[in-house]
Structure formats: structure tokens, C-alpha cells
Amino acid sequence: MNKDEESLIKGVWKQYAECAKAEFPSTVQSSMQETSWLLHNLREQCELLEIALLYYKDYVHPPSRLLRTAKLFQVLGFGLHQQSRVGLLPRAEAITTHLSHLCTLILVEAMDLDWIYLSIDSPDQIMEHDLLKDAANFKELENVILEWGSLQCHTPILLAWAVFKFIAPTKTEIEYTRSLGNRALEGGVFS
């Protein structure tokens, strides 16, 4: 990744964080303006996450960035905390669901499960996965993931994490891996 690309993705993440934490502008006077501003804000968040998803489809998401992203999504409730700001607007509910799905897709894509699939016949090559080589971020990411419940948006990530726990030779804890898989199933990962 060159400096321009790195600068671009850092700018996208910065703008997303600012947008997700934005407060109503003081110029909002009516409920119609409030609704319009909220919907615009939610759409902007979705568009920024779509850019990030497209970007990480082709570039490696470094373990430290994956950890920061997981923490950011956790703080923002995977986009679902937005619902408290938008009330019961049906249009907003669809957008927040989309936002939640984008958060999930970005984290699963960032785990780079393709590497594991392509390296399945070579255990030594599997251990060259960036996340598995970075023990500190691996452990911290695990702690973050274990704090999550079993919301449907968490379940694909739990299932992906179960894959990592299963393939990491020093971390192979069958019961633990099974419990992650069960939590993902109970949360409706395939629903």
C-alpha cells in the first residue's frame, strides 16, 4: 500500500468516526429538518463503510487496524446505537441494519479468511497469517470479541473467530471453539 492509499483510507476512517459521533447541528429547527439530517448522516456512514469494504477487499487490513476497527464498531454498537437517535423511522431502520451488516462484513473481510482457505494444505503457511503472527493484537482482539453478545451482527464474526481459534496450534481449545460456534448459531448466523 502506498502513502496515497494509506492516507485515503485513514481519511475515510476519520470521517466515518466523526460522522458516527456527530451531534445535531444547532441550525436544525424542525422535526422534518432533524429527520432529513439524520437520514443524510446515516447514508454518509454507509457510503464511507462501503468505501472501506471495497478498499479492504484488495488490501490487507493490518492486525492493529483490525483491532482499532473492532473497538470503534463496538463503541458505536455496530451502527445499531443510531436507532436511539432516529426513533421509529422505518427508513432509518433499514439504513441502520445496512450499517450493521457493513460493520460485520468489514471485520470478517479484514480477518482474511481467504488466506487460511488457500493455505489449508500447508499448516506452516497458515501460521504466516498476519493476525496469527501478531500475538499481542490477536489476544487483545479476542478480548474485544468476547465482550460482545450474540446479536445477529456479531455472529459471523464469532464464527470467523472460531476458525482462527481452531487453526492456531497453540490456541486450539476444542470446547472454547465449540462454544464460539454455538453462540454464533444461537444468534442466527445463518438466518
Side-chain angles (χ1 to χ4, degrees):
M1 173 178 358
N2 68 39
K3 288 187 182 205
D4 289 338
E5 292 165 341
E6 191 172 327
S7 175
L8 169 74
I9 198 64
K10 281 182 181 180
V12 167
W13 283 118
K14 182 179 180 216
Q15 186 175 345
Y16 170 73
E18 289 171 0
C19 188
K21 295 175 184 177
E23 298 293 327
F24 285 113
S26 59
T27 57
V28 172
Q29 300 293 321
S30 68
S31 64
M32 193 158 121
Q33 286 177 325
E34 182 179 307
T35 299
S36 178
W37 183 87
L38 284 169
L39 291 173
H40 173 77
N41 179 276
L42 289 172
R43 283 189 205 104
E44 183 177 351
Q45 288 178 56
C46 285
E47 289 169 359
L48 290 165
L49 289 181
E50 288 166 355
I51 291 168
L53 180 62
L54 289 172
Y55 180 82
Y56 285 120
K57 185 177 119 341
D58 295 326
Y59 294 98
V60 173
H61 201 116
S64 59
R65 179 73 244 176
L66 173 59
L67 179 61
R68 284 194 307 272
T69 303
K71 286 179 177 180
L72 176 64
F73 289 163
Q74 180 180 19
V75 167
L76 299 174
F78 282 77
L80 297 174
H81 287 178
Q82 307 288 335
Q83 290 173 341
S84 63
R85 291 173 36 181
V86 289
L88 301 172
L89 295 172
R91 293 178 298 177
E93 185 177 337
I95 297 171
T96 56
T97 300
H98 182 64
L99 193 57
S100 174
H101 290 173
L102 285 168
C103 292
T104 301
L105 282 170
I106 287 170
L107 289 176
V108 170
E109 181 68 35
M111 288 184 187
D112 197 16
L113 294 173
D114 292 346
W115 173 279
I116 293 167
Y117 176 75
L118 295 172
S119 306
I120 201 71
D121 293 331
S122 176
D124 293 336
Q125 189 174 356
I126 288 176
M127 294 313 295
E128 292 301 311
H129 189 288
D130 288 340
L131 189 55
L132 294 174
K133 289 191 315 189
D134 189 341
N137 278 319
F138 186 89
K139 185 63 179 161
E140 194 170 346
L141 183 59
E142 178 176 43
N143 292 337
V144 169
I145 289 172
L146 292 177
E147 291 176 9
W148 298 342
S150 56
L151 294 175
Q152 190 167 9
C153 61
H154 297 157
T155 58
I157 302 162
L158 290 171
L159 199 56
W161 195 252
V163 169
F164 274 102
K165 292 299 289 183
F166 184 75
I167 63 158
T170 58
K171 307 281 186 192
T172 306
E173 304 159 3
I174 305 266
E175 282 304 312
Y176 173 75
T177 304
R178 194 173 289 144
S179 72
L180 281 176
N182 285 338
R183 278 177 52 195
L185 290 171
E186 289 167 7
V189 69
F190 296 115
S191 299

XYZ file of all heavy atoms in Angstrom, residues 44-124:
654
model
N -24.381 8.738 4.786
C -22.958 9.054 4.665
C -22.110 7.988 5.374
O -21.091 7.549 4.848
C -22.660 10.434 5.255
C -21.206 10.840 5.096
C -20.912 12.239 5.612
O -21.844 13.000 5.947
O -19.720 12.578 5.678
N -22.553 7.552 6.551
C -21.825 6.500 7.256
C -21.773 5.219 6.413
O -20.723 4.582 6.310
C -22.487 6.200 8.603
C -22.307 7.273 9.636
C -23.027 6.917 10.910
O -22.784 5.864 11.483
N -23.918 7.793 11.358
N -22.892 4.863 5.816
C -22.936 3.666 4.959
C -21.985 3.806 3.783
O -21.250 2.863 3.460
C -24.358 3.407 4.457
S -25.466 2.732 5.693
N -21.996 4.951 3.147
C -21.124 5.158 1.988
C -19.655 5.073 2.376
O -18.841 4.490 1.653
C -21.442 6.490 1.324
C -22.784 6.485 0.612
C -23.261 7.855 0.168
O -22.559 8.862 0.424
O -24.346 7.921 -0.430
N -19.299 5.623 3.527
C -17.908 5.552 3.982
C -17.508 4.102 4.284
O -16.402 3.669 3.931
C -17.705 6.440 5.210
C -17.777 7.944 4.920
C -17.947 8.730 6.211
C -16.544 8.406 4.149
N -18.404 3.353 4.906
C -18.092 1.944 5.181
C -18.035 1.129 3.891
O -17.245 0.186 3.790
C -19.107 1.351 6.158
C -19.009 1.848 7.592
C -20.059 1.170 8.465
C -17.618 1.643 8.170
N -18.844 1.475 2.915
C -18.779 0.786 1.621
C -17.430 1.035 0.952
O -16.841 0.123 0.354
C -19.939 1.226 0.723
C -21.272 0.662 1.178
C -22.474 1.329 0.525
O -22.307 2.322 -0.226
O -23.604 0.856 0.788
N -16.923 2.253 1.055
C -15.594 2.564 0.510
C -14.538 1.726 1.235
O -13.661 1.132 0.597
C -15.284 4.070 0.632
C -16.169 4.875 -0.319
C -13.800 4.347 0.357
C -16.137 6.379 -0.068
N -14.620 1.670 2.566
C -13.656 0.888 3.346
C -13.729 -0.591 2.970
O -12.696 -1.255 2.819
C -13.896 1.072 4.842
N -14.936 -1.108 2.797
C -15.096 -2.517 2.429
C -14.461 -2.798 1.066
O -13.735 -3.783 0.903
C -16.575 -2.903 2.414
C -16.886 -4.349 2.042
C -16.266 -5.322 3.040
C -18.395 -4.566 1.971
N -14.711 -1.944 0.102
C -14.104 -2.120 -1.220
C -12.585 -2.031 -1.143
O -11.874 -2.770 -1.820
C -14.647 -1.079 -2.203
C -16.089 -1.278 -2.639
C -16.571 -0.082 -3.440
C -16.250 -2.569 -3.422
N -12.100 -1.143 -0.327
C -10.656 -0.967 -0.172
C -10.020 -2.233 0.418
O -9.040 -2.751 -0.100
C -10.384 0.243 0.722
C -8.921 0.500 0.937
C -8.191 1.193 -0.011
C -8.276 0.043 2.070
C -6.844 1.439 0.169
C -6.930 0.284 2.260
C -6.221 0.979 1.311
O -4.893 1.208 1.490
N -10.593 -2.741 1.502
C -10.004 -3.906 2.179
C -10.248 -5.207 1.443
O -9.670 -6.232 1.792
C -10.477 -3.984 3.627
C -9.800 -2.950 4.482
C -10.520 -1.981 5.148
C -8.415 -2.912 4.591
C -9.892 -1.012 5.910
C -7.779 -1.954 5.342
C -8.514 -1.014 5.996
O -7.885 -0.062 6.745
N -11.090 -5.171 0.436
C -11.262 -6.351 -0.416
C -9.958 -6.656 -1.149
O -9.635 -7.809 -1.394
C -12.398 -6.090 -1.403
C -12.770 -7.248 -2.272
C -13.935 -6.850 -3.136
C -13.753 -6.871 -4.586
N -12.616 -6.872 -5.330
N -9.206 -5.605 -1.468
C -7.976 -5.772 -2.242
C -6.697 -5.555 -1.445
O -5.618 -5.855 -1.930
C -7.985 -4.808 -3.431
C -9.086 -5.136 -4.425
O -9.387 -6.332 -4.596
O -9.665 -4.200 -5.010
N -6.807 -4.998 -0.249
C -5.607 -4.711 0.544
C -5.698 -5.361 1.914
O -6.792 -5.528 2.451
C -5.422 -3.190 0.723
C -5.137 -2.487 -0.572
C -6.135 -1.850 -1.277
C -3.847 -2.484 -1.101
C -5.879 -1.215 -2.475
C -3.588 -1.857 -2.307
C -4.609 -1.225 -2.982
O -4.347 -0.606 -4.172
N -4.563 -5.685 2.453
C -4.502 -6.314 3.775
C -4.887 -5.293 4.842
O -4.479 -4.141 4.802
C -3.078 -6.863 4.040
C -2.948 -7.362 5.457
C -2.747 -7.951 3.044
N -5.672 -5.746 5.761
C -6.089 -4.944 6.914
C -5.127 -5.325 8.044
O -5.260 -6.402 8.623
C -7.523 -5.349 7.277
C -8.282 -4.351 8.064
N -9.389 -3.739 7.577
C -8.121 -3.860 9.305
C -9.894 -2.928 8.482
N -9.131 -2.992 9.548
N -4.138 -4.498 8.357
C -3.151 -4.872 9.378
C -3.829 -5.185 10.716
O -4.857 -4.597 11.051
C -2.280 -3.622 9.506
C -2.549 -2.808 8.295
C -3.927 -3.157 7.835
N -3.261 -6.112 11.496
C -3.874 -6.502 12.768
C -4.160 -5.326 13.703
O -5.211 -5.293 14.351
C -2.848 -7.457 13.385
C -2.140 -8.035 12.212
C -2.078 -6.928 11.201
N -3.284 -4.358 13.755
C -3.526 -3.208 14.635
C -4.731 -2.401 14.153
O -5.527 -1.909 14.956
C -2.283 -2.317 14.708
O -1.943 -1.847 13.427
N -4.890 -2.276 12.843
C -6.037 -1.558 12.270
C -7.317 -2.365 12.496
O -8.371 -1.800 12.784
C -5.793 -1.331 10.773
C -6.902 -0.629 10.032
C -6.958 0.836 10.379
N -8.242 1.075 11.029
C -8.615 2.226 11.540
N -7.823 3.255 11.535
N -9.780 2.361 12.088
N -7.230 -3.691 12.371
C -8.382 -4.558 12.628
C -8.853 -4.383 14.067
O -10.048 -4.267 14.330
C -8.024 -6.019 12.344
C -9.058 -7.079 12.710
C -10.367 -6.855 11.988
C -8.504 -8.464 12.410
N -7.919 -4.338 14.997
C -8.254 -4.153 16.406
C -8.929 -2.797 16.625
O -9.965 -2.708 17.288
C -6.999 -4.284 17.263
C -7.175 -4.084 18.758
C -8.137 -5.103 19.342
C -5.822 -4.173 19.459
N -8.367 -1.740 16.056
C -8.973 -0.405 16.190
C -10.378 -0.369 15.578
O -11.299 0.241 16.131
C -8.090 0.666 15.546
C -6.885 1.039 16.368
C -6.211 2.319 15.888
N -5.871 2.353 14.484
C -4.721 1.913 13.965
N -3.802 1.402 14.749
N -4.492 1.993 12.673
N -10.538 -1.023 14.440
C -11.843 -1.065 13.774
C -12.861 -1.800 14.633
O -13.993 -1.340 14.804
C -11.716 -1.736 12.389
O -10.758 -1.026 11.612
C -13.044 -1.753 11.656
N -12.459 -2.946 15.190
C -13.368 -3.718 16.048
C -13.782 -2.894 17.269
O -14.960 -2.880 17.653
C -12.708 -5.016 16.480
N -12.829 -2.191 17.866
C -13.147 -1.353 19.029
C -14.075 -0.207 18.645
O -15.004 0.126 19.387
C -11.865 -0.810 19.662
C -11.084 -1.854 20.430
C -9.813 -1.248 21.011
C -9.051 -2.246 21.855
N -7.823 -1.650 22.427
N -13.828 0.411 17.501
C -14.679 1.508 17.031
C -16.104 1.013 16.808
O -17.067 1.630 17.275
C -14.119 2.110 15.736
C -14.964 3.204 15.080
C -15.076 4.431 15.983
C -14.378 3.577 13.726
N -16.244 -0.121 16.120
C -17.575 -0.660 15.865
C -18.272 -1.044 17.172
O -19.487 -0.892 17.312
C -17.514 -1.864 14.927
C -17.163 -1.517 13.501
C -16.729 -2.501 12.633
C -17.262 -0.223 13.014
C -16.407 -2.210 11.310
C -16.942 0.090 11.692
C -16.523 -0.910 10.848
N -17.490 -1.533 18.130
C -18.060 -1.899 19.422
C -18.605 -0.649 20.127
O -19.727 -0.656 20.620
C -17.002 -2.577 20.286
C -17.498 -2.995 21.654
C -16.418 -3.670 22.477
O -15.230 -3.543 22.207
N -16.836 -4.396 23.485
N -17.825 0.407 20.154
C -18.251 1.663 20.793
C -19.512 2.207 20.118
O -20.419 2.706 20.784
C -17.114 2.710 20.755
C -17.619 4.091 21.101
C -15.988 2.300 21.685
N -19.560 2.086 18.807
C -20.703 2.616 18.049
C -21.850 1.617 17.948
O -22.848 1.875 17.260
C -20.252 3.043 16.655
C -19.199 4.153 16.628
C -18.713 4.401 15.217
C -19.736 5.425 17.258
N -21.711 0.470 18.610
C -22.790 -0.517 18.622
C -23.105 -1.105 17.271
O -24.245 -1.436 16.981
N -22.077 -1.242 16.422
C -22.248 -1.795 15.076
C -23.338 -1.057 14.305
O -24.088 -1.643 13.540
C -22.547 -3.296 15.131
C -21.339 -4.140 15.387
C -20.812 -4.233 16.663
C -20.705 -4.801 14.367
C -19.683 -4.992 16.907
C -19.575 -5.562 14.598
C -19.058 -5.650 15.868
N -23.425 0.241 14.551
C -24.411 1.060 13.852
C -25.795 1.003 14.463
O -26.664 1.791 14.107
N -26.009 0.087 15.393
C -27.345 -0.078 15.961
C -27.655 0.961 17.026
O -28.817 1.207 17.327
C -27.510 -1.492 16.537
C -27.394 -2.609 15.493
C -27.432 -3.970 16.170
C -28.475 -2.498 14.439
N -26.648 1.601 17.603
C -26.906 2.672 18.572
C -27.538 3.875 17.892
O -28.070 4.744 18.553
C -25.612 3.094 19.274
C -25.123 2.094 20.258
N -23.961 2.257 20.953
C -25.618 0.900 20.670
C -23.765 1.221 21.743
N -24.753 0.387 21.579
N -27.447 3.913 16.592
C -28.051 5.019 15.834
C -29.564 5.028 16.024
O -30.191 6.058 15.910
C -27.735 4.881 14.343
C -26.286 4.733 14.002
C -25.521 6.025 14.184
O -26.090 7.106 14.124
N -24.246 5.926 14.418
N -30.143 3.859 16.290
C -31.591 3.763 16.388
C -32.137 4.655 17.496
O -33.244 5.158 17.397
C -32.021 2.316 16.605
C -31.786 1.479 15.375
C -32.052 0.011 15.605
O -32.082 -0.462 16.728
N -32.231 -0.720 14.525
N -31.362 4.862 18.550
C -31.837 5.728 19.618
C -31.943 7.169 19.139
O -32.720 7.946 19.675
C -30.895 5.638 20.827
O -29.604 6.102 20.478
N -31.159 7.520 18.120
C -31.201 8.879 17.581
C -32.316 9.054 16.563
O -32.764 10.153 16.322
C -29.870 9.231 16.912
C -28.751 9.366 17.900
C -27.402 9.552 17.277
N -27.362 10.347 16.079
C -26.260 10.587 15.400
N -25.109 10.099 15.806
N -26.265 11.305 14.313
N -32.751 8.000 15.941
C -33.704 8.147 14.848
C -35.107 7.675 15.184
O -35.995 7.763 14.366
C -33.212 7.414 13.572
C -32.059 8.128 12.969
C -32.887 5.975 13.848
N -35.301 7.194 16.387
C -36.639 6.790 16.782
C -37.147 5.632 15.960
O -36.423 4.687 15.691
N -38.362 5.729 15.546
C -39.004 4.611 14.867
C -39.205 4.858 13.373
O -40.128 4.320 12.779
C -40.356 4.318 15.536
C -40.275 3.972 17.026
C -41.664 3.887 17.618
C -39.533 2.665 17.230
N -38.338 5.654 12.774
C -38.455 5.898 11.339
C -38.160 4.616 10.567
O -37.077 4.067 10.680
C -37.467 6.976 10.896
C -37.673 8.385 11.441
C -36.491 9.250 11.059
C -38.957 8.956 10.901
N -39.112 4.120 9.791
C -38.866 2.885 9.040
C -37.682 3.011 8.067
O -36.912 2.073 7.907
C -40.167 2.653 8.273
C -41.187 3.509 8.924
C -40.464 4.613 9.608
N -37.540 4.174 7.452
C -36.418 4.363 6.523
C -35.089 4.271 7.267
O -34.118 3.737 6.756
C -36.527 5.705 5.806
C -37.714 5.791 4.868
C -37.793 7.140 4.230
N -37.993 8.148 5.275
C -38.049 9.445 5.057
N -37.904 9.922 3.854
N -38.248 10.281 6.045
N -35.042 4.823 8.456
C -33.806 4.807 9.238
C -33.475 3.400 9.720
O -32.305 3.025 9.797
C -33.923 5.757 10.423
N -34.480 2.606 10.029
C -34.244 1.243 10.496
C -33.547 0.417 9.412
O -32.612 -0.334 9.690
C -35.559 0.579 10.902
C -35.354 -0.793 11.510
C -36.651 -1.419 11.970
O -37.616 -0.691 12.233
O -36.676 -2.654 12.054
N -33.979 0.574 8.180
C -33.344 -0.150 7.075
C -31.886 0.277 6.909
O -31.006 -0.546 6.657
C -34.115 0.071 5.781
N -31.622 1.563 7.075
C -30.259 2.071 6.914
C -29.375 1.584 8.063
O -28.231 1.191 7.846
C -30.237 3.611 6.808
C -31.000 4.062 5.552
C -28.812 4.128 6.758
C -31.223 5.565 5.466
N -29.896 1.594 9.299
C -29.073 1.130 10.420
C -28.789 -0.365 10.313
O -27.705 -0.821 10.686
C -29.711 1.448 11.794
O -31.017 0.886 11.855
C -29.763 2.936 12.050
N -29.721 -1.121 9.781
C -29.472 -2.555 9.547
C -28.365 -2.722 8.512
O -27.461 -3.543 8.686
C -30.770 -3.252 9.081
O -31.753 -3.099 10.104
C -30.530 -4.725 8.804
N -28.426 -1.945 7.457
C -27.383 -1.981 6.426
C -26.031 -1.588 7.023
O -25.013 -2.224 6.750
C -27.761 -1.050 5.270
C -26.793 -1.042 4.139
N -26.545 -2.158 3.350
C -25.995 -0.062 3.652
C -25.640 -1.859 2.439
N -25.288 -0.591 2.598
N -26.041 -0.579 7.854
C -24.829 -0.122 8.532
C -24.234 -1.235 9.391
O -23.027 -1.484 9.367
C -25.184 1.100 9.379
C -24.112 1.970 9.964
C -23.188 2.502 8.885
C -24.741 3.133 10.714
N -25.082 -1.921 10.113
C -24.643 -3.037 10.951
C -24.028 -4.158 10.106
O -22.987 -4.712 10.453
C -25.841 -3.570 11.742
O -25.498 -4.712 12.458
N -24.661 -4.460 8.998
C -24.137 -5.506 8.106
C -22.785 -5.100 7.516
O -21.893 -5.954 7.366
C -25.130 -5.817 6.997
C -26.361 -6.515 7.490
N -27.439 -6.768 6.679
C -26.706 -6.996 8.707
C -28.379 -7.381 7.364
N -27.960 -7.526 8.601
N -22.629 -3.834 7.183
C -21.350 -3.363 6.649
C -20.239 -3.512 7.694
O -19.124 -3.935 7.364
C -21.451 -1.911 6.189
C -22.196 -1.681 4.885
C -22.486 -0.201 4.684
C -21.401 -2.232 3.709
N -20.535 -3.176 8.936
C -19.549 -3.334 10.014
C -19.111 -4.797 10.102
O -17.913 -5.096 10.188
C -20.132 -2.899 11.354
S -20.472 -1.142 11.507
N -20.073 -5.695 10.061
C -19.780 -7.127 10.133
C -18.942 -7.573 8.943
O -17.935 -8.267 9.104
C -21.100 -7.926 10.186
O -21.832 -7.508 11.335
C -20.843 -9.416 10.247
N -19.343 -7.178 7.742
C -18.610 -7.571 6.535
C -17.166 -7.071 6.559
O -16.239 -7.799 6.175
C -19.311 -7.034 5.286
C -20.529 -7.809 4.830
C -21.266 -7.037 3.737
C -20.140 -9.180 4.341
N -16.975 -5.847 7.011
C -15.619 -5.291 7.060
C -14.746 -6.105 8.003
O -13.607 -6.453 7.673
C -15.647 -3.802 7.464
C -16.170 -2.970 6.287
C -14.267 -3.316 7.900
C -16.473 -1.531 6.627
N -15.264 -6.450 9.179
C -14.454 -7.216 10.135
C -14.157 -8.626 9.620
O -13.029 -9.116 9.747
C -15.126 -7.261 11.503
C -15.120 -5.933 12.259
C -15.893 -6.055 13.563
C -13.707 -5.445 12.513
N -15.142 -9.272 9.033
C -14.903 -10.627 8.500
C -13.917 -10.559 7.335
O -12.994 -11.366 7.251
C -16.231 -11.315 8.101
C -15.969 -12.602 7.337
C -17.071 -11.589 9.344
N -14.095 -9.598 6.447
C -13.166 -9.435 5.322
C -11.759 -9.128 5.827
O -10.766 -9.635 5.308
C -13.651 -8.321 4.390
C -12.784 -8.080 3.181
C -12.797 -9.218 2.180
O -13.834 -9.865 1.996
O -11.742 -9.458 1.556
N -11.672 -8.308 6.865
C -10.368 -7.923 7.408
C -9.632 -9.095 8.049
O -8.408 -9.077 8.150
C -10.541 -6.802 8.432
N -10.365 -10.108 8.452
C -9.717 -11.292 9.038
C -9.001 -12.125 7.988
O -8.221 -13.006 8.322
C -10.734 -12.137 9.801
C -11.177 -11.509 11.084
S -12.289 -12.625 11.957
C -12.821 -11.583 13.292
N -9.269 -11.863 6.741
C -8.580 -12.509 5.619
C -8.652 -14.036 5.699
O -7.645 -14.735 5.677
C -7.122 -12.037 5.557
C -6.479 -12.318 4.209
O -7.210 -12.592 3.240
O -5.239 -12.275 4.136
N -9.868 -14.538 5.771
C -10.079 -15.980 5.830
C -9.677 -16.663 4.526
O -9.415 -17.869 4.515
C -11.529 -16.300 6.179
C -11.971 -15.872 7.579
C -13.457 -16.070 7.750
C -11.197 -16.597 8.647
N -9.617 -15.905 3.440
C -9.164 -16.471 2.168
C -7.767 -17.060 2.305
O -7.462 -18.099 1.731
C -9.150 -15.409 1.058
C -10.532 -14.943 0.675
O -11.514 -15.601 1.067
O -10.631 -13.910 -0.011
N -6.912 -16.373 3.050
C -5.538 -16.841 3.264
C -5.561 -18.250 3.879
O -4.815 -19.127 3.473
C -4.802 -15.868 4.187
C -3.444 -16.327 4.596
C -3.135 -17.216 5.593
C -2.201 -15.966 4.010
N -1.783 -17.395 5.680
C -1.185 -16.632 4.713
C -1.856 -15.109 2.973
C 0.149 -16.490 4.407
C -0.520 -14.969 2.674
C 0.468 -15.653 3.373
N -6.409 -18.422 4.851
C -6.496 -19.720 5.529
C -6.987 -20.785 4.558
O -6.436 -21.870 4.490
C -7.409 -19.611 6.767
C -6.730 -18.700 7.787
C -7.703 -20.979 7.358
C -7.608 -18.257 8.908
N -8.007 -20.455 3.791
C -8.540 -21.412 2.830
C -7.484 -21.811 1.798
O -7.312 -22.989 1.484
C -9.772 -20.825 2.133
C -10.321 -21.726 1.058
C -11.036 -22.868 1.399
C -10.100 -21.457 -0.289
C -11.529 -23.715 0.422
C -10.591 -22.292 -1.272
C -11.305 -23.415 -0.912
O -11.783 -24.251 -1.881
N -6.757 -20.833 1.291
C -5.741 -21.106 0.277
C -4.517 -21.827 0.859
O -3.761 -22.453 0.114
C -5.311 -19.810 -0.412
C -6.407 -19.117 -1.229
C -5.935 -17.753 -1.703
C -6.840 -19.986 -2.407
N -4.336 -21.735 2.166
C -3.162 -22.341 2.803
C -3.496 -23.607 3.578
O -2.653 -24.119 4.310
C -2.536 -21.333 3.770
O -2.263 -20.133 3.130
N -4.691 -24.113 3.439
C -5.160 -25.217 4.268
C -4.264 -26.455 4.182
O -4.126 -27.191 5.145
C -6.636 -25.565 3.950
C -7.269 -26.325 5.100
C -6.762 -26.344 2.670
C -7.523 -25.498 6.308
N -3.623 -26.667 3.034
C -2.768 -27.841 2.883
C -1.364 -27.630 3.441
O -0.563 -28.561 3.462
C -2.660 -28.238 1.402
C -3.997 -28.728 0.855
O -4.797 -29.268 1.653
O -4.238 -28.549 -0.349
N -1.076 -26.432 3.897
C 0.250 -26.117 4.406
C 0.149 -25.408 5.762
O 0.083 -24.177 5.812
C 0.992 -25.233 3.399
O 2.224 -24.848 3.912
N 0.145 -26.172 6.856
C 0.000 -25.567 8.179
C 1.048 -24.497 8.485
O 0.754 -23.517 9.166
C 0.143 -26.748 9.135
C -0.194 -27.948 8.320
C 0.222 -27.624 6.922
N 2.267 -24.665 7.974
C 3.293 -23.650 8.216
C 2.915 -22.332 7.563
O 3.158 -21.263 8.123
C 4.655 -24.119 7.686
C 5.186 -25.302 8.474
O 4.771 -25.459 9.646
O 6.009 -26.059 7.925
